[in-house]
Amino acid sequence: MNKENNPDFALFSEHLDGIRPLNQDKHHFKQSVKTKQQVEIKEQQVYADSYFSDNYQPLLPVEGPMRWLNDGVEKIELKRLRRGDYQPDLLLDLHGMRQAEAKLELAALIQACVKQHVICCCVMHGYGSGILKQQLPMWLAQHPKVKAFHQATKEWGADAALLVLIDIGEHPHRR
């Protein structure tokens, strides 16, 4: 059918008389600028995902208090943790957190320890259903900055917490 003979086309053309096209002056497809907090959260997620696997099964003790020592670290360090020679400067309370949240917080704690030159920290996982109590040692054993961990003394939470010894690099150690 011909455009000139079509009554609908004529009516449409009549309505469009005097209309001019709009100028496109905005770009709608730019990526939005992320805030510093959003960038830090994404960094922490990538950091946590790169170190902590839920499938890794380190050799951990079945009996006695929960403890672990990284290769190349002297056994006396584990004994010092057990005796309470190291006082934790940073505390992390994981009560009420899900596994994903706990993993991010643990990664952030280790980063904070390295940044602030803190060699010992305490992670309180609580009793609860035991999921965090079971997963936490597995995650800690995977991280390269963790030298050792041991079940906390009574003053720091007993078997509902772990004392963690962190490798802060070439900085002088504090006790």
Side-chain angles (χ1 to χ4, degrees):
M1 204 170 186
N2 199 353
K3 289 182 181 180
E4 291 86 26
N5 296 340
N6 189 346
D8 289 332
F9 184 75
L11 184 62
F12 181 73
S13 296
E14 188 177 304
H15 284 294
L16 289 181
D17 263 350
I19 295 178
R20 54 188 168 85
L22 295 174
N23 290 332
Q24 178 68 27
D25 59 350
K26 294 186 179 180
H27 299 282
H28 298 285
F29 303 108
K30 277 172 97 174
Q31 287 185 345
S32 60
V33 178
K34 295 180 181 174
T35 64
K36 185 176 181 181
Q37 183 180 14
Q38 289 172 326
V39 171
E40 286 176 355
I41 289 172
K42 184 66 176 171
E43 245 178 47
Q44 286 177 353
Q45 287 173 339
V46 169
Y47 183 74
D49 290 341
S50 65
Y51 285 117
F52 305 135
S53 167
D54 293 329
N55 298 327
Y56 178 71
Q57 296 289 325
L59 184 60
L60 295 172
V62 179
E63 297 174 0
M66 181 54 65
R67 63 201 178 278
W68 178 82
L69 185 68
N70 200 348
D71 296 334
V73 179
E74 297 176 20
K75 287 187 178 185
I76 190 73
E77 298 297 334
L78 194 61
K79 188 174 181 179
R80 287 179 180 159
L81 269 177
R82 179 181 52 84
R83 285 190 316 212
D85 290 352
Y86 290 108
Q87 297 295 314
D89 292 326
L90 294 177
L91 304 172
L92 175 62
D93 189 359
L94 299 177
H95 285 94
M97 290 189 187
R98 294 183 178 94
Q99 277 188 341
E101 295 168 336
K103 199 185 291 189
L104 289 176
E105 289 298 319
L106 185 62
L109 174 72
I110 294 171
Q111 276 184 320
C113 285
V114 172
K115 186 183 274 187
Q116 297 174 18
H117 309 297
V118 172
I119 62 170
C120 185
C121 63
C122 181
V123 181
M124 294 172 278
H125 49 72
Y127 294 105
S129 61
I131 294 172
L132 288 180
K133 185 175 184 172
Q134 181 183 14
Q135 286 296 117
L136 190 63
M138 293 180 199
W139 293 335
L140 287 170
Q142 295 175 47
H143 201 284
K145 291 287 185 184
V146 174
K147 290 171 129 180
F149 59 83
H150 198 283
Q151 177 180 310
T153 58
K154 282 189 178 183
E155 70 180 298
W156 295 107
D159 60 341
L162 291 174
L163 290 177
V164 183
L165 194 61
I166 305 291
D167 180 16
I168 58 171
E170 297 297 319
H171 302 287
H173 294 296
R174 299 183 312 176
R175 269 197 230 176

